[in-house]
Structure formats: structure tokens, C-alpha cells
Amino acid sequence: MLPRTLTWGPPALDPPPEPLLTAAPTHSTALVAAGWMEDYLRDPGGALLALLSRLRDLALDWGPIAVPVLAVLVTGVVLGRRWWARHCHELLLADARQVTVLAPPTVDPAGGAALWSNLVGLLRPGWRRAFTGQPHVACEYVFSEAGVAIRLWVPGLIPPGLVERAIEAAWPGAHTRVGPAEPPLPTPGEGQRRLVVGGELRLARPEALPIRSDFDADPIRALIGAPVGLGREEYACVQVLARPVTGRRVQHARRAARRVHTGGSTRLVGRLLDAITPGTGNRSRRSAAARTTTGALHSDPQTSLEYAAQNRAIVAKQRGSQFETVVRYAVATLLPADADIDEGEVRRAREVARGRAHALAASFASYTEHNHYTRRRVRHPGAVVDSRRLGRGDLLSVPELAAIAHLPTDEAIPGIQRAGARAIAPPPGIATPGPEAKPIGVTDTGHQRPVALRVPDARHHLHVIGATGSGKSTLLGNMILADAEAGRGIVLIDPKGDLVTDVLSRLPRSAADRVVIFDADSKSRPPCLNPLDGGETDLTVDNLVSVFRRVYSAFWGPRTDDVMRAACLTLRSQEGVATLADLPKLLADEAFRSRVTAGIIDPVLRGFWSWYEELTDSSRSQVISPLMNKLRAFLLRPFVRDAIAGGHSTVDISQVLDGGICLVRIPKGSLGEETTRLVGSLVVARTWQATTGRARTPQRQRRDASLVIDECHNFLNLPYPIEDMLAEARGFRVAMTLAHQHLGQLPRELREGMSTNARSKIFFNASPEDSRELSRHTAPRLSDHDLAHLGVYHAAVRLVLGGEEAQPFTMLTQPLPPAVPGRAQEIRAVARRTARTRATEATTDGPATTGARPPRGASGSSRSANRSEPVARPRSADPRRNG
């Protein structure tokens, strides 16, 4: 019987009956398969030849059409996938940002795992990954001559604040600075070219096997130390790109883990070889694995333990979340772009860069355990690193990823950008700026929001301390502008001058008619605030003498105190206005003294002047010389003579506290230190007199006012204890803001009084000595280390909230609003016109501006209630005194 040939077409003779043609497809297919199998079993060679012949015919018939179509389809699929990947990456690059992480003083080793566990939440739903892909982040260690910066590149698709908050939650005390994304390696400037050497690190063994993640010492130490010694134009970068994965990617890893577990290969070529190699089927591998587990196959105990350890490591890695990662490294050198550059110099630069790149790659050898990293060459490493593109990577568990991408935990590692102090969020209830709250800054944790001090809480007074340039003036300026905008009274004493200048250029135009300016550098005549004018005689003289005594405490004795007190009481007992300029004439001019003392009826004063007249000229000179040399130094300055001894007071501090603005600019460079202290202290004393004068006003009618004293230690030379002033001022609704640089500027009594009664505290950067004492107000949330490491414009704050001291927090001060061009000149012009008007009224109406003096008592040390008009003074040769 001849063998039949297998044909795939219809039979040439006798077509099958009709019922067979209409049979079910499954039945016909089964018949054909059965017929082909029967032919194959009868004649295997003939059946294969027939099959090959049929395939050849199909290839000849359809090949010219199918091959081009298939090539076009494959090319379209490849190009489409590349376009889709490029499009998804462009979506990631749009609005990408760069988060620079400043490590806290003490880094929690578990922070890395906490961060990456939190970032698993970046995993998007499957339908979104199908259209726009899965965003990834890049942890970058960027090295330069200045040190190492740790940054996270975040795509624009990730919501703002998500990664930043995860960082601050993982490492409490860490600070984040967010900015637009920049290339990790600097781009060459004009006339430069960039030489880049780098590569990529990939897992050498199947990704089911883990790398080392448990260390006694920080493994980042080797990475940070690898590029030590970078030059001025040398840079390096290590980049860890990671994205969370799930679904098929994790299933693929689990299948690979099973193959490793059973001894199979995880690669396609290896699986094909396993398939055609006898004795390597699944059953054989399972039996081999079983014998391996029991130790029957490997008689060597060490080998059995190694296989068992690998199995446990694979199982442990499969627990928890997974990230797809790629590690890249690059070293760049900027060279001149000149065509005639020495080739030897380029070769040396390349060799140095290659050596540094090898050191960076070698630092990852410490992660070797069941798996390890191997280097791969990358074409155009500079462009690859700058693009931050992540294709297919290696799977790492959260502990593995945390081991290679975290903040250094070793405090001894140099060059790390570290955060100065912990960032603490404000407690609930802290106000925001408004009509009844003074702005003080913005929070530095979470979403930045403005914080403010309520006006009622400000009456408990504010103590501000910080070094020069730390941000005190910016804070005070914002608070003063808020008071001016709200119509509250302000008295500002500025011994440096810049704060008054900044405030003047930003005041609202509506406040111009309320401004009074004392400016030691101004060429115009200042207003007058006569300390011997107004008020009760005994209290006025006591205040004045006490200020002089405290300012000149090292050169002041009881005799000088007695002479000045008697002379001031004598001048106050006469008709007309008394000024400090009359003191030298009273003590040295015999004719003037005779006219003034002729009408004295007080026996004590008459006894003093009788004793004074009996002194010889030399004895009298010895008695008055300590006072005269201080008065001359004080009165020889035209500004002081006009502002303090120019006649009737043209400024009513009581009216200033009820809504005015008094700016006292007395820089030490213009007046000298002692004169500045004396003038400022006299203004503070006069302000306190006006404050206590509010006792005659019902409490509900007292308007809130502020007394702001910069460098306050210079101006608290008053006869009243500071704790009494702070305690009483709250009832008069006058909020005192006391600012200075360090605690050593304050006497012990003054320091204790401010610590107790100035209940709101704002501390800028302080010295270690001051930090230990100031931390008593902020512990345990902020330690002395935190206070000593506050950055510029960074402050620790503890405010009074509803009459109680709230928990401390940290903040950043806001810059002052932009200056208005010409606003300072405009306000100064209005203030000069107002001052001239008040001076004219004071000259014609006497002390009406400051209020009439009370009648003198029986002691005769006060004036008569019915005083005559003041005697007109001759015009001075100094044009500044004549206006």
C-alpha cells in the first residue's frame, strides 16, 4: 500500500458528501489533525516534507506581501513605544521641581525606609499608567568644590508639597528648599566645553536576590568620601531613579524568584537551553530543590546552608512594596573650548575624571551580599544623567532602596549641607495677619502660612533677641507698618537709623500728617521735646536727674546729683519755659543766677544757693565741672540743642500714643554713644510719663499703642524698675517691644525683669552661651542647639495666646514690602510743615501743646498756675535753631 501525501487543499476527485461539508468546525479540525497524525506515524519523513513544501508555497505566495507588512508593523510598534515613552517623560519634565534636603543635626537611621514607604503612595491607577506612565523620582548626591548637596528631583505631575512633607516626616528637623529643576551637572558656559565620564550600575544576578541592606556603619560614608578633592571646575553626581511598581512587574519578579529557588534560569536564553537539555524539566528541578532542602543532593553542609540562606533572602525581599530602580553616576569637568587646547591636558582631565568615576562606582561594593552591582557602559553619560529618564530597571525592596538613598547618619561626615534647627509647626490658635493682629512671619513647616501676634496679646510685651543681620529689623518694620496701617500709636527709637529710613519709605500716604520725625542727620530743624516742660515739677526733675545719673553712672557722684537737682528745681520755679540750655548759665553766669534765684522762697533751695555763693571760684569750678563737661558735650550738638533744649515742647507724646507716629532716628555715628543713650532715654522717660498719664482716661477709651526700642539696653536708664514698667504698661494698653543683640548687654536685674514680664519671645540666632539660658523658654521642643543654629531670618517664637504662653515654634520672617519711590521725602515734607506749625503755636500760646502745668504746691518747687507769657528769645546765629 502506497503512502498517501498530505494535502491542505480540497481533494481533486469526488468531493465529500454535502453533510460532511456542513459538519461542525471542531469535528473537521479533529479529522484533519487525526489524518495528519496518522500520516506522520506511517511516514514521518514524508509528512515533514509535505509540510515544508506547503510552507514554501505559502512563503512564495504571501511572502512578498507579508514580510513588508510585518516589517512595517514591527517598526511602527517600536517607534510608537519610543514616542509614547518620550511623551510620558516630557510630561514628567514639565514643571518639574528640585527639593534640596538639609539634614537635621541628628539623623534617624530609620528615616530612609520611612521616606520610601511613604512614596509608595505615588503609584497611580492602572488606567492612568496606561496613558501617561508611572512618575518616578530621582535622589541625587551632587558633589562640587563646596561639598555635597542632597536633592530630590520631583516631576511636575506629583502634587506640590507631597514629597516635601514626606521628607520632613521621615527626618524630623530636616529642612527642604524647593526650586525649579536644574541639571545635576552644570552646563558649560560661553567659551567652555564639558568633559563627562560616567556609567550605570545594574544588578549582576537575578533581581529576586537582594543586596545588603543592614549595616553597622552608614554605607553612604564611602560614597560621600569618594569624590573628595574636587577642583573649582569639577563636579560629580550619583543618581538613584526609582518608581513604585505593582501588578505584572511584581509577578515577573516572583516567577524569577521561583526559578532561582528551583535552580532554573531567569533569562530567556537560559530557559531555552534548559528546555532542550535533558533532565532539566520542572519535575527534575523540583526534585532537585527538595533534595537540596533536605541535604540529600548537596552533601556539603556549607552549600546547603548557602542555598537555604538565599531562599530565605528571596522570600524576605518579596515582602512589602517594591521599587524599580536604576543607579547612574557621572563626573564632569569644565574645560576651555579653545581649539588649540593642549591634548595632554584633556587626557589628564579625562584620566582624573575616570578615576573619580571608578571611585564612585566602587563605593557601591559595600552593598554586596546575595546580589551585587556591576557597571555598564553608557553612551553620552552627561545627556543621560541630565535627562533623568528611567526605562526598565532593577527591583529593590524598600529597605534596599533606603540603604542606597538616604540622608547620612554619621555626624562626622564633612561637607553635608545641614539644617540649623528643627522646624516646629505653630500650635493651634496662632493668629493670621489682620486689623487686630500684627504680622511676624510665615511658618517653615508644611504649607507656609503667615502668623501674627494679636493686639491684646501684644500688651504682654515682646522680647526680641538676635545678632546683627539675623532679621530683627525686618520683623520690627513689618509690625510697625501694620500698626501704622491700623491707626495705632507708635513710638520708635532707632540708634542705627536704617529702620526709620525703611519705615518712612513704606508708610501709607494717609499717615503722613500723623508723623513726627527726630532725625539727627536731617538739615531741617527738628521738633522739640523739652524734658523740663510740662508735668509735675518734682516728678519731672527726678526723671531727668535719674536719666543723667544712669547714663553717666561711672562719672556721677552725689555732689553732681545734688547740683543738677537743685539747678533744675530752680529753673522750674521761674516763669517762662525752662530748658537744659539754661543750666550752664545758671551755674556759671553770676548775673543770670542772681536774677533767677532772687525770687526763690523754698528754704532748702535758698540754703543751697547761699552755700553755692560762698564758694570761691576755684571751689565752685570743682563742684560744677563734672556736670558742666557732660552738659557741654550734650548741648554743643545743634540737633540735641534744638530737639531737647529748644524751648516749649512741640510734641505731645500723649497724642502720639493715641494714634500718632513718632520716629526717633539717633544713630550713634552722628551723636556719639553717650549722647544717643541720653536722648533716647529722655524720649523713653517722656513716653512713660504719657503712658502713666492715661490713668485719667477710662480704660475702655484707651487706644492701643506701641513703644518699639531697638538696642533697648541703651535706653532703659530710667528711675523706674523695668519689671514695674512692663507690668503697668499692659493696663494702659501700651505694648513694649524690646530688641537687642545678646544677653550680656543687660544687667542682671533688667535681664530677669524682661525674662519674666516680656512674655512673648522671638529668638533669632543666639550664641551658645545665650542659647543655654534662652532654651529654658523653649525646651523641650527646641533645645539650646536649635537656638544656636537658627539660620538668617529664621526665628524661634513663643507667644502669649489668650493670656497664656503657647508652645514654641519656628518661623521665617517676611521681607518688607517694596519701598515707594519718593514716599520718604513726601512724609518728611509734611512732618516739617506740621512741626513748624506746632512751633509757632507753642511760641504764641505757651505750653498749650503739651498741656498746662499744675499749680505749684506749698513747697514752692512748682510754678504758679497763672504764668505770664514766655519771654521771646533772641534769634540764634545758628540757622538750624532759627528754622
Side-chain angles (χ1 to χ4, degrees), residues 685-696:
R686 194 58 177 268
T687 303
W688 180 243
Q689 291 181 16
T691 300
T692 56
R694 287 186 157 196
R696 295 184 292 270

Side-chain angles (χ1 to χ4, degrees), residues 77 80 91 133 274 306 350 362 388 423 501 580 657 827 859 882:
V77 170
L91 294 178
D274 289 343
E306 181 180 354
R350 186 179 297 276
R388 299 183 175 100
T501 302
L580 286 174
L657 295 180
I827 293 180
S859 63
N882 298 324

